[in-house]
Amino acid sequence: MTSVVRRAPLDTTELAQRFRAELLGLDTLPAGARVVIRLPHGAPLAGALLTCFDLRLVAVPQHPRTTDAELAATVRRVDASAVIDTPADHAHPIGLRILPGAPAEPDPGAAELAFIMFTSGSTGVPKGVMLSRRAVLGNAAKTARLHRFAPDRPHGTCLPLYHCNALVMSLIGAHITHTPLILHTAFDPERYLRDLAAGGARTASIVPALLTELVEAAPGWPDGLDYLITAAAPLTGDLARRFHQRYGPRLRQGYGLTEAVNFSLTMPQLTGEDFTAQYLDRFPPVGLPLPDTEVRLESGEVWIRTPDMMNGYWRDPAATAQAFAPGGWLRTGDLGELRDGLLVLRGRAKERIDRGGEKHYPLDVERTWHDAGLRGRFAAVPVAEAALGHETGLVTDGPPAGTLDAVRAVCERAAVRPAAVRWGGFLATATGKPQRTAMGRTLAVRRISAVRYERLLRYAAVTARTLLGTGPAPSPGLPSGDLHRALRAIAPYAVYEPVPTGEEPVFAAFDFLRDHMRAHGLWEPLPEAEKARWRERLRSQWPLTEYAALAADICATEGIAPEMSDAPRFGTWWESGDGGLRLLPHAPADATDGVPWALDYLWRCLADDHGSARADRWTWAGRSRTGHPAAVGFSTLRSGRHDLGGVVWESQPRE
């Protein structure tokens, strides 16, 4: 049986002194010199960061999986004087390289900096957030007071120290208050709580993604642990309820950005009915502003003004100017509202779904989908659509098994129905925050003119009514029974006589069908040569070309460019040359909203696809598959209120 190593709390003062001796050479650098650090989360990283902080050097922490090429690019970008890294021989936990030409002259104002924190880059090239010593110390002191950090009140974190939350609040906050710090490295729910218990932690940090794992594992609560501090991503009501059922009201949510030095708002400690009212009965708020911090809402966007603010983005004055509004207000990009004086987030401004003048906030949409029965990790995402601006997409984590019925209920009955669904490919930051904009770019949707389609629907209906009057109904057992039902289903939508056939090329196909059946009888099969000719002609005309165009859009989102001669065609399964993508442009399997597909009976007469052109997306998504598709999904072709089918697809992992 493997023994568990109990982690004693770190004395950060002793840790800084020990690693200062390990990093001899740093003290030869001038204040403000940049030091790029690539170390795994743990005591060596904490020691390196504290050493740089105490020597007034500018630490530039990097993710431990940063490649050598990426590391070299960062070194050049910040004109680094030194690199702290894991030695190649791993004989020591930490290694220092003073770079040629050091000590470098610091940039003007660099001497007052403590850290340059590079953003994740999910919306473009990562920007270097410049955090001054004054701002870092100010925010760390406020959050330490808020959570009563003290030598007799140890604090724990499982969050990586190369992120702002753990760096400012947990590490620097513990350092300046002489609070013992419990560092938990590779997250394990049971071991994390055992580490907290062994170290006597009174407070500890977590993020919703890890909180979910904690609730699932449900280890015993440590004696003496007052509460967990959660931030970095919104806490959902469902997760808050599940946590409360297991552990009670031992949560405090907070909110902030790296640009505003970690926390700007934190929830007061609530118990009993107050906790239930804020966290369980409604979407959990993120709290009240910290001292000296102001919050305002500008067109729904959260703006913050605080002395604990970044100095700007490293050598990027344009991005810095864009981030700030007049008066020193930081545009956070987050949407929110005030409820009982507490800030409630509604999603990112760039992630808001602007659908033809309707504005939908992803968090609000996701709450309604949860109420409809959808569980697990999922996100409402904006999908670009030319006519409306956006359509709504749904991305879930994992295969259709287990969520198929819930997703179907959402697609058919929710107030906001997704036009595209993807099982697999859920994207989130390291702290668990959904990357909705990035996920939206993996989906495609299309709409066609509602006026044009209604005209086609009426023409089809008038033709059907005419055909039904040309002969008796077939016997129930004959194959033509399906055709008869299709004709009867669409006939009620005949409002007036057909418009001239020259207005839409597809009308000529209805005219051909009507003329043939008048001449040869309603149930006389069409000649195969004529069927093939009309199939090819229809596939090259509107509206069937819209299905092929939607399929091409999906190929583009998957990074595939089909040859013109091999482009996807309506009613035909298509597979990429490397087998990485398989898709089928198809009509709806059944009438939607009680209205049949306009070309239903025409295609029944012409097609030889054995029904594949009328794929049932739910049956298709739920079928068993060999191998391990990276994603399965469908995209809808819509016309006004009509669901016209679309494209079902699956992609395989690539080498």
Side-chain angles (χ1 to χ4, degrees):
M1 181 175 179
T2 303
S3 61
V4 176
V5 177
R6 303 283 180 167
R7 290 180 175 82
L10 297 174
D11 181 327
T12 60
T13 301
E14 185 276 331
L15 185 72
Q17 292 173 348
R18 175 160 60 90
F19 277 93
R20 185 165 180 172
E22 293 268 354
L23 296 168
L24 289 175
L26 283 183
D27 52 4
T28 66
L29 301 179
R34 273 79 65 196
V35 180
V36 176
I37 304 173
R38 180 179 64 176
L39 292 171
H41 176 52
L45 176 57
L49 291 166
L50 291 173
T51 298
C52 289
F53 190 79
D54 289 347
L55 290 174
R56 305 185 74 87
L57 301 174
V58 184
V60 187
Q62 300 286 285
H63 195 287
R65 289 197 297 272
T66 299
T67 66
D68 290 344
E70 292 168 339
L71 186 73
T74 301
V75 167
R76 291 191 299 270
R77 186 171 176 184
V78 301
D79 290 336
S81 296
V83 174
I84 300 175
D85 202 355
T86 303
D89 60 5
H90 296 281
H92 301 282
I94 196 167
L96 170 66
R97 285 185 290 134
I98 302 295
L99 299 176
E105 289 296 324
D107 281 23
E112 68 179 45
L113 296 183
F115 304 107
I116 299 177
M117 308 289 294
F118 279 95
T119 62
S120 63
S122 60
T123 57
V125 177
K127 297 189 287 288
V129 180
M130 297 188 291
L131 302 181
S132 70
R133 293 180 60 84
R134 175 191 53 78
V136 167
L137 288 170
N139 193 270
K142 290 171 188 174
T143 52
R145 284 195 298 271
L146 189 67
H147 299 295
R148 295 185 293 153
F149 283 20
D152 61 345
R153 289 180 55 83
H155 171 73
T157 187
C158 58
L159 308 181
L161 294 172
Y162 44 84
H163 286 173
C164 195
N165 184 309
L167 173 57
V168 175
M169 182 182 75
S170 297
L171 184 62
I172 302 300
H175 190 48
I176 63 177
T177 57
H178 305 287
T179 297
L181 179 62
I182 301 157
L183 277 182
H184 179 84
T185 50
F187 183 73
D188 175 274
E190 294 187 7
R191 187 170 296 182
Y192 184 40
L193 292 197
R194 286 202 300 269
D195 286 347
L196 297 177
R202 300 299 300 273
T203 57
S205 298
I206 202 164
V207 293
L210 301 182
L211 191 66
T212 300
E213 296 185 29
L214 179 69
V215 171
E216 290 292 330
W221 189 263
D223 292 337
L225 182 62
D226 295 338
Y227 53 81
L228 293 176
I229 307 161
T230 179
L235 177 69
T236 66
D238 177 60
L239 181 54
R241 279 188 290 273
R242 290 191 290 128
F243 179 89
H244 184 264
Q245 289 171 357
R246 182 69 180 86
Y247 297 117
R250 295 185 170 112
L251 275 181
R252 292 184 72 176
Q253 181 165 217
Y255 165 76
L257 286 78
T258 302
E259 287 84 347
V261 197
N262 190 34
F263 281 106
S264 294
L265 297 95
T266 298
M267 282 293 290
Q269 190 172 2
L270 301 179
T271 58
E273 294 181 357
D274 292 334
F275 187 93
T276 300
Q278 295 296 345
Y279 282 92
L280 309 184
D281 293 344
R282 295 173 289 180
F283 193 78
V286 295
L288 298 168
L290 268 63
D292 304 319
T293 298
E294 301 172 82
V295 175
R296 64 186 270 195
L297 299 177
E298 193 69 29
S299 300
E301 183 183 12
V302 180
W303 287 11
I304 291 174
R305 185 163 63 183
T306 172
D308 310 333
M309 190 72 74
M310 71 170 178
N311 285 18
Y313 296 113
W314 176 258
R315 295 179 181 174
D316 195 343
T320 300
Q322 188 177 15
F324 287 101
W329 290 93
L330 175 68
R331 299 182 174 101
T332 68
D334 288 315
L335 299 168
E337 62 185 12
L338 293 176
R339 188 183 76 207
D340 302 332
L342 303 170
L343 179 65
V344 181
L345 296 180
R346 303 185 69 184
R348 296 284 294 169
K350 291 182 179 180
E351 295 175 342
R352 181 171 56 192
I353 302 166
D354 294 326
R355 184 180 181 276
E358 301 174 354
K359 299 188 186 302
H360 300 290
Y361 300 96
L363 288 174
D364 292 342
V365 174
E366 289 160 12
R367 285 196 288 272
T368 66
W369 291 352
H370 178 273
D371 292 343
L374 188 56
R375 296 293 185 270
R377 286 209 306 174
F378 63 87
V381 303
V383 185
E385 199 286 314
L388 298 177
H390 286 145
E391 264 290 7
T392 307
L394 167 61
V395 179
T396 73
D397 189 14
T403 62
L404 186 66
D405 291 342
V407 170
R408 181 170 187 172
V410 164
C411 288
E412 295 179 349
R413 296 192 291 274
V416 178
R417 296 179 297 164
V421 172
R422 180 186 183 101
W423 284 275
F426 188 95
L427 301 175
T429 65
T431 55
K433 188 180 298 182
Q435 295 180 299
R436 295 186 181 87
T437 301
M439 285 188 280
R441 289 195 289 266
T442 69
L443 296 174
V445 295
R446 279 198 171 231
R447 299 182 71 83
I448 63 177
S449 165
V451 172
R452 191 178 182 186
Y453 183 75
E454 288 285 349
R455 189 182 299 123
L456 174 62
L457 185 65
R458 290 194 295 269
Y459 198 92
V462 169
T463 304
R465 184 169 288 183
T466 301
L467 291 175
L468 286 171
T470 62
S475 301
L478 294 177
S480 55
D482 285 343
L483 174 60
H484 187 250
R485 282 189 291 272
L487 288 168
R488 288 177 59 84
I490 202 170
Y493 298 94
V495 179
Y496 51 75
E497 288 300 311
V499 295
T501 59
E503 186 167 332
E504 290 287 2
V506 69
F507 288 177
F510 286 105
D511 294 342
F512 159 75
L513 189 65
R514 185 172 61 248
D515 293 344
H516 173 86
M517 291 185 174
R518 279 174 170 170
H520 302 284
L522 181 59
W523 313 116
E524 179 69 23
L526 296 170
E528 289 300 321
E530 285 294 296
K531 289 170 61 176
R533 183 173 70 84
W534 280 105
R535 280 198 304 271
E536 291 306 302
R537 185 173 178 185
L538 282 177
R539 283 192 172 112
S540 67
Q541 301 290 336
W542 179 90
L544 295 191
T545 50
E546 297 291 339
Y547 294 87
L550 177 56
D553 292 342
I554 294 170
C555 288
T557 65
E558 293 292 318
I560 294 173
E563 297 290 337
M564 291 297 295
S565 60
D566 188 38
R569 291 152 46 90
F570 173 81
T572 303
W573 278 103
W574 180 90
E575 187 170 311
S576 62
D578 64 356
L581 179 66
R582 187 166 183 258
L583 51 78
L584 172 66
H586 69 99
D590 301 302
T592 57
D593 297 329
V595 183
W597 182 47
L599 301 188
D600 189 20
Y601 71 85
L602 176 63
W603 195 258
R604 288 179 189 274
C605 290
L606 299 177
D608 61 353
D609 54 37
H610 307 292
S612 65
R614 293 181 297 277
D616 183 315
R617 63 181 61 144
W618 306 110
T619 301
W620 176 86
R623 68 186 177 89
S624 59
R625 290 174 168 80
T626 58
H628 301 283
V632 173
F634 65 80
S635 294
T636 306
L637 183 67
R638 282 181 171 170
S639 174
R641 65 191 176 97
H642 304 300
D643 178 342
L644 308 184
V647 180
V648 292
W649 56 270
E650 62 184 40
S651 64
Q652 295 288 343
R654 289 178 171 79
E655 293 296 334

